[in-house]
């Protein structure tokens, strides 16, 4: 982004205020999208929730794909899940990215974080990171009719289909993990820790920053320099 | 009705008993969440950028006070 005269003036003032003479001007050719907390979509969540907002992330992703100076994208996930449609929208943009995208699950990539992780060209999970796969649920006022459950089932199928299309796991196995009992204290479902997510075919590899950056460089035509 | 798929129980998501007061601002061409502390002190809470180099710039460090030189985007 080209800085305006006002920006330059503001920067000079900030340098004066901060007492520093050197502000790094380096630009990175690999950009990094951090997905933290709840993924927020149609509804603004109460402010004590840390959120990643659809309206911030989608334009950033478009800008990264359009910018000639940016060679690739690293998606870092530490999310507890969130809005299904916003999560799927982010996942779809990542899946259809022209530039190479690598995802790395750090800490947790739970629920709707799973489709985002698998949408990348190559996905990694830190050995200590976890992914929880459990059933979808509706919040708010529900009408107790069969249609409500059919709707929920259809929405769940949307997410499952996306995961199956972009990972090595089958729908049957994913459903099996989703409805497993005895693993979670408050819910049915499964927690996959590091290598288990790879063994189940959800994530491609166990790794950290070095592995994820290495994969990104291999996917980048000129080898991508940072 | 929102469709959430998350490991956090709804009662924790929708409990707004201790709201945090911060707003989105534009500062030096970057988007920031800024907390309006008592006495008009504006303090950076979070930098929204995908360029990792921005996070090396002390001007955008969380906890940094940025005074009055900012343009509010929305609440």
């Amino acid at each position: 982004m080209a800085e305006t005269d006002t920006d330059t003036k503001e920067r000079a003032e900030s340098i004066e205020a901060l007492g520093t003479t050197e502000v790094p001007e380096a630009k990175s050719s690999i950009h990094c999208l951090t997905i933290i907390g709840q993924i927020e979509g149609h509804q603004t969540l109460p402010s004590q929730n840390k959120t990643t907002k659809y309206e911030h992330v989608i334009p950033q992703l478009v800008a990264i794909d359009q910018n000639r100076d940016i060679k690739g994208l690293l998606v870092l996930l530490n999310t507890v899940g969130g809005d299904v449609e916003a999560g799927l929208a982010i996942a779809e943009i990542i899946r259809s990215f022209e530039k190479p995208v690598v995802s790395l699950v750090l800490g947790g990539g739970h629920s709707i974080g799973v489709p985002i992780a698998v949408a990348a060209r190559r996905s990694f999970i830190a050995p200590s990171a976890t992914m929880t796969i459990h059933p979808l649920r509706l919040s708010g006022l529900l009408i107790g009719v069969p249609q409500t459950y059919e709707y929920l089932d259809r929405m769940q199928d949307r997410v499952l289909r996306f995961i199956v299309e972009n990972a090595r796991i089958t729908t049957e196995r994913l459903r099996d993990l989703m409805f497993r009992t005895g693993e979670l204290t408050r819910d049915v479902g499964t927690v996959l820790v590091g290598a288990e997510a790879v063994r189940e075919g959800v994530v491609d590899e166990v790794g950290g920053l070095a592995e994820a950056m290495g994969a990104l460089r291999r996917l980048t035509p000129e080898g991508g320099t940072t | 009705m929102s469709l959430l798929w998350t490991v956090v129980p709804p009662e924790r998501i929708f409990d707004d008993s201790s709201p945090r007061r911060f707003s989105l601002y534009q500062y030096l061409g970057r988007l920031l969440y800024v907390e309006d502390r008592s006495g008009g002190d504006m303090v950076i809470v979070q930098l929204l950028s995908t360029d990792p180099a921005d996070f090396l710039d002390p001007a955008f460090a969380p906890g940094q006070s940025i005074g009055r030189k900012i343009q509010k985007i929305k609440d």
Side-chain angles (χ1 to χ4, degrees):
Chain A
M1 187 188 300
E3 293 201 343
T4 62
D5 289 348
T6 326
D7 284 340
T8 315
K9 191 162 165 275
E10 280 180 3
R11 179 169 285 279
E13 284 176 8
S14 96
I15 291 168
E16 197 180 313
L18 296 166
T20 164
T21 53
E22 200 176 318
V23 176
E25 280 291 350
K27 290 280 172 196
S28 176
S29 65
I30 301 288
H31 271 225
C32 163
L33 177 70
T34 313
I35 296 183
I36 179 84
Q38 289 282 347
I39 293 161
E40 195 181 279
H42 298 299
Q43 188 180 13
T44 305
L45 299 178
S47 63
Q48 91 283 3
N49 292 282
K50 188 171 265 191
T51 64
T52 298
K53 294 177 198 292
Y54 171 93
E55 66 269 34
H56 292 162
V57 169
I58 299 284
Q60 279 179 327
L61 286 170
V62 174
I64 291 167
D65 213 26
Q66 297 282 305
N67 190 320
R68 283 187 192 169
D69 297 332
I70 302 170
K71 307 295 180 208
L73 173 68
L74 176 66
V75 179
L76 297 176
L77 287 134
N78 190 7
T79 175
V80 287
D83 186 277
V84 168
E85 306 224 307
L88 280 181
I90 295 168
E92 288 285 9
I93 292 261
I94 291 173
R95 172 162 77 164
S96 56
F97 228 63
E98 285 187 9
K99 287 176 183 164
V101 188
V102 168
S103 65
L104 173 58
V105 180
L106 296 164
H110 308 290
S111 325
I112 199 68
V114 178
I116 297 176
V118 304
R121 200 88 59 89
R122 193 92 192 139
S123 54
F124 289 85
I125 183 165
S128 61
T130 58
M131 298 177 98
T132 309
I133 297 170
H134 62 120
L136 243 81
R137 64 179 69 80
L138 292 164
S139 62
L141 189 65
L142 299 183
I143 308 169
V145 292
Q147 285 87 336
T148 303
Y149 299 99
E150 281 165 23
Y151 172 76
L152 194 57
D153 217 35
R154 270 175 44 218
M155 293 302 109
Q156 199 157 270
D157 284 346
R158 259 170 99 188
V159 184
L160 292 183
R161 201 177 311 127
F162 188 95
I163 299 171
V164 169
E165 281 172 6
N166 294 284
R168 288 172 288 115
I169 193 166
T170 62
T171 310
E172 294 68 35
R173 183 62 184 156
L174 201 51
R175 279 191 175 275
D176 179 39
L177 295 176
M178 190 178 249
F179 296 104
R180 187 177 286 178
T181 51
E183 276 241 356
L184 304 179
T185 51
R186 288 181 52 130
D187 206 346
V188 295
T190 309
V191 182
L192 301 172
V193 183
E196 288 169 3
V198 178
R199 208 159 44 236
E200 293 289 354
V202 176
V203 174
D204 294 322
E205 283 179 59
V206 173
L209 186 61
E211 289 80 8
M213 291 302 283
L216 205 44
R217 287 204 183 90
R218 281 192 294 280
L219 290 167
T220 310
E222 306 95 63
T225 49
T226 32
Chain B
M1 185 171 65
S2 72
L3 190 55
L4 297 178
W5 192 25
T6 171
V7 287
V8 182
E11 63 271 21
R12 269 182 55 203
I13 298 172
F14 297 103
D15 165 36
D16 204 10
S17 54
S18 54
R20 299 175 68 190
R21 287 181 307 146
F22 52 76
S23 314
L24 190 62
Y25 281 87
Q26 178 124 24
Y27 175 59
L28 299 172
R30 313 301 196 282
L31 284 179
L32 296 164
Y33 273 116
V34 173
E35 189 177 2
D36 194 352
R37 296 220 175 130
S38 54
D41 194 17
M42 309 298 277
V43 175
I44 296 175
V45 176
Q46 191 187 351
L47 166 65
L48 297 176
S49 171
T50 57
D51 187 348
D54 282 347
F55 291 84
L56 298 175
D57 192 334
F60 306 120
Q64 188 66 251
S65 178
I66 57 174
R68 65 197 155 71
K69 303 178 284 293
I70 45 176
Q71 180 196 343
K72 191 169 184 177
I73 305 292
K74 64 170 188 177
D75 283 325

